[in-house]
């Protein structure tokens, strides 16, 4: 029979050959320091597992930060788009208001410009006015600071609940050099709601001075 020490050495060699490195066994092993070796291997596995969990937590944190940044960027872009939308709406409103004022001034039957144009045409077609000023007659308004005669003087008032509008402009004969002042008054028709001519007369400002009645509906 072999001595006990030789038997233990042979058994330890057999165990090292059979059991792979890193395996954890329950209970004591036949070799001295076996438990310590097993414990070292298990500790390495735990450290490797802990390192993997740390990397996973870091990846999740990075993903959350990217999600927050993406959400903030979307909110910023949405705010910028909303600002552009408001600017466009304001521009459309201002443009629409300008078009409304221009349309009302040029095409409305109650605007001073429209009344001025109609009165000037009546003066140009009136036989007595043509006899004094000639066939070619031009009309103009008050002179501006730059010397341009574009403003038509007018005054609006309300009497007995009805709207009145008075205009004053000037005419001049291109061939004769005769000049005159045209006075116009219109009154609101209570049934139609439109402005109708009360009178149009022309004061001849050059010699011989006189007044020509173009229309009188008073």
């Amino acid at each position: 029979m072999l001595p006990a020490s030789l038997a233990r050495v042979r058994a330890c060699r057999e165990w090292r050959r059979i059991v792979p490195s890193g395996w954890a066994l329950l209970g004591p092993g036949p070799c001295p320091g076996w438990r310590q070796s097993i414990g070292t291997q298990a500790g390495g596995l735990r450290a490797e597992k802990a390192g993997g969990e740390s990397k996973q937590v870091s990846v999740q944190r990075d993903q959350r930060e990217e999600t927050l940044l993406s959400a903030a960027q979307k909110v910023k872009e949405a705010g910028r788009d909303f600002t552009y939308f408001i600017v466009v709406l304001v521009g459309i409103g201002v443009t629409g208001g300008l078009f409304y004022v221009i349309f009302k001034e040029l095409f409305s039957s109650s605007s001073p410009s429209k009344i001025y144009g109609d009165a000037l045409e009546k003066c140009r077609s009136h036989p007595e006015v043509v006899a004094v000023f000639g066939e070619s007659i031009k009309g103009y308004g008050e002179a501006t600071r730059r010397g341009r005669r574009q403003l038509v003087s007018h005054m609006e008032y309300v009497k007995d609940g009805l709207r009145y509008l008075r205009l004053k402009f000037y005419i001049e004969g291109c061939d004769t050099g005769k000049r005159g002042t045209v006075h116009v008054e219109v009154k609101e028709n209570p049934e139609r709601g439109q402005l109708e001519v009360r009178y149009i007369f022309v004061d001849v400002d050059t010699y011989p001075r006189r007044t020509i009645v173009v229309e009188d509906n008073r």
Side-chain angles (χ1 to χ4, degrees), residues 13-199:
R13 289 178 179 176
E14 291 295 330
W15 275 101
R16 289 182 182 278
R17 183 175 60 84
I18 295 173
V19 180
S21 176
W23 281 36
L25 298 179
L26 297 177
C31 301
W34 182 267
R35 291 184 177 178
Q36 182 179 0
S37 176
I38 295 300
T40 303
Q41 295 291 339
L45 292 175
R46 285 196 297 272
E48 183 179 355
K49 183 177 180 181
E53 291 178 352
S54 177
K55 292 180 180 179
Q56 185 176 4
V57 171
S58 178
V59 171
Q60 292 178 353
R61 185 182 297 110
D62 292 341
Q63 291 178 350
R64 286 197 299 269
E65 290 177 356
E66 290 179 358
T67 302
L68 292 176
L69 289 175
S70 178
Q73 187 69 20
K74 290 181 179 179
V75 171
K76 183 178 179 181
E77 292 179 356
R80 183 174 56 191
D81 294 341
F82 181 75
T83 302
Y84 290 159
F85 179 71
I86 294 298
V87 171
V88 171
L89 283 182
V90 172
I92 293 175
V94 172
T95 304
L98 290 176
F99 276 116
Y100 173 77
V101 172
I102 294 173
F103 177 83
K104 183 178 180 180
E105 182 67 20
L106 296 179
F107 301 103
S108 175
S109 60
S110 60
S111 67
S113 298
K114 184 66 168 55
I115 297 172
Y116 159 75
D118 294 342
L120 180 60
E121 290 300 321
K122 290 183 179 181
C123 291
R124 287 172 174 172
S125 60
H126 192 272
E128 193 173 353
V129 174
V130 173
V132 175
F133 294 92
E135 294 288 342
S136 182
I137 300 174
K138 66 178 181 179
Y140 49 88
E142 299 288 343
T144 62
R145 293 181 179 180
R146 296 183 179 181
R148 298 178 181 178
R149 298 188 172 186
Q150 296 178 345
L151 301 177
V152 177
S153 177
H154 64 277
M155 180 185 67
E156 184 174 354
Y157 64 96
V158 177
K159 181 180 178 181
D160 298 332
L162 299 178
R163 179 188 174 196
Y164 289 78
L165 186 64
R166 288 180 180 177
L167 284 82
K168 183 178 72 171
F169 62 93
Y170 307 95
I171 59 175
E172 182 178 349
C174 298
D175 300 329
T176 62
K178 296 283 187 177
R179 293 186 300 273
T181 302
V182 181
H183 302 273
V184 183
E185 183 175 273
V186 295
K187 175 184 176 181
E188 180 183 5
N189 188 313
E191 297 179 356
R192 301 179 181 179
Q194 298 178 350
L195 296 178
E196 297 179 350
V197 176
R198 290 193 70 209
Y199 60 78

